[in-house]
Amino acid sequence: MRAADRSDLTAAWARVVASAERHGQDPDRVLAVERLSHLSGVAPERVPAVLTGTAAELPLCARVHQRFLRLRATRRDKHGKEWSLAAIAEDFDAPGASLGPLNAGTGLPRLGHAAGVQRFFGVYPGFLLADSKSAVERALATAGPEGRAGGAPDDLEHLSYLTGITPEDIRLTLDGTPPRLPLKEQVRRRFEHLRRTRPREDGQAHSLTAIARSFHASGQSLTRLAQGEGLPNLAAAAGIQRFYGVEGGFLLAPDSEALSAALAGIERELESAERPAENPMLAVMRAHDVRSIVTRAGRLSPGGWKALADHLDDLLAREGQLGRPPVVPGGSTAPIRPTAPSRSGGADDIDRSAEGGAR
């Protein structure tokens, strides 16, 4: 899912302002640029442009590099010094030199190393991968006076769909005893879950080739992941999550983190449902440049219109929303997304040595 297809950040901003005022807190303090930057990893100077939708997205390698530098600069040791690469890597049994390319911005870390870095600094599992808009969106969601949202689930199957965790494992997680899976097995299960629960319009799982083609790789590059024999590299993980329209940490998040994020999202939906419902068509018009889309679509032949409708159904099926109107904040029907998933830089084959990256 492209950043442009996500919910409106200005609406999220307004909700946080209203929440801060209800709780007697200063919105300027709650939404300080430095605080949003700290939560999201987006550089302070980029935050205003991201909020207004005018910031160009950085290439994945540059984005991950800048987020890593941001972590080291803002989360220091007890002496106020930056953590050394050796100290960070030691936490997940890797040599400090393995983080050299990431620190220098000359290469992407292995998936296991990325998971280890995020765990070391205590940030959410998609911190290094998330596009700027979704990173700020998440920061806004956690920037309210009460911090993190909580709540009790009433539908384990729905939570399972959102998180990729089995209902039984959700029960264990809620009881404080989450299963501890090796990272390789967790990523395999989450990937299998995405393919099973977000099929094509005909009910069949998207082929490895179709998924890999969305980020300019070959289907063969995902074979070992599908078979549970290896981890994808970071670019492939980002591409898979973007293809299915899930959060940047979907494959990496521990069960407790994934469940917490799902509960927070459900709570936000419930709270937003209390506000007066907006005309669905107006919601679509506000969320997307509908006039531009209609103008271009008007030049299509009858066959082109059918192809467009088929493609829309395919996108809805991929996100598990075919046949039911998805709900968006405000209680209205979610805008239909007529654009294909965004393409990113090419992903190499699965990194065969990435399996030992994180404990």
Side-chain angles (χ1 to χ4, degrees), residues 78 90 290:
K78 62 182 180 181
E90 182 183 2
V290 174

Side-chain angles (χ1 to χ4, degrees), residues 2-6 8 53 133 281-298 335-339:
R2 299 185 309 166
D5 290 336
R6 297 183 186 276
D8 187 2
K133 186 171 183 180
M281 186 57 68
L282 291 178
V284 172
M285 295 293 288
R286 288 195 177 99
H288 300 280
D289 187 5
V290 174
R291 287 174 298 179
S292 173
I293 295 171
V294 171
T295 299
R296 286 177 287 162
I336 296 174
R337 302 182 178 96
T339 52

